[in-house]
Amino acid sequence: MPTPLLTWSLRFSVCGCCGALRPRYKRLVDNIFPEDPEDGLVKTNMEKLTFYALSAPEKLDRIGAYLSERLIRDVGRHRYGYVCIAMEALDQLLMACHCQSINLFVESFLKMVAKLLESEKPNLQILGTNSFVKFANIEEDTPSYHRSYDFFVSRFSEMCHSSHDDLEIRTK
């Protein structure tokens, strides 16, 4: 089992360099994830990330892309606690950041929702569905007509006709 110092250095180092050389948005994103996913989102660090995103809206697309990268990696590694934390963070950022840069962030957000909906795990599909519903209820100042929702329409239609054994999951 690695020591805490080794764990820290592996988690935050980049090619053997000091972790402080990483971009600030990556450090802020990494800090919202606790050591144990059972602890949930680190609220104080999420507030810092939200403040940073509001202060530097041009970084919002990079924050979304990095969160997307982490979520896809965590889904592949079956680390579902961290997946839930990433989606909670995305939902909070989406609700907090109503600015011109939101369209770039939305692309990453929708990519992650699609990844969850493609999963075989019903709980991840439900998580993706709930996030999409939150997104759909946001009124945009300037609607973006270039987005394609064909995948989502198709996938939600499939889910409506689900034949999952558990009635409660099928209903959700």
Side-chain angles (χ1 to χ4, degrees), residues 1-13 35:
M1 177 140 207
T3 64
L5 181 59
L6 179 60
T7 302
W8 183 87
S9 65
L10 289 173
R11 185 173 178 191
F12 293 104
S13 67
E35 192 71 31

Side-chain angles (χ1 to χ4, degrees), residues 7-69:
T7 302
W8 183 87
S9 65
L10 289 173
R11 185 173 178 191
F12 293 104
S13 67
V14 180
C15 301
C17 297
C18 179
L21 297 177
R22 294 184 57 156
R24 182 159 190 241
Y25 72 92
K26 285 188 176 184
R27 290 190 316 250
L28 289 168
V29 168
D30 288 338
N31 289 339
I32 66 171
F33 293 92
E35 192 71 31
D36 180 11
E38 296 287 323
D39 295 340
L41 183 71
V42 180
K43 303 283 186 223
T44 55
N45 291 337
M46 185 62 208
E47 289 171 6
K48 292 176 187 175
L49 178 62
T50 303
F51 179 77
Y52 179 75
L54 290 169
S55 302
E58 69 279 1
K59 302 286 187 185
L60 196 54
D61 61 325
R62 293 183 193 166
I63 292 169
Y66 186 59
L67 269 168
S68 173
E69 183 183 308

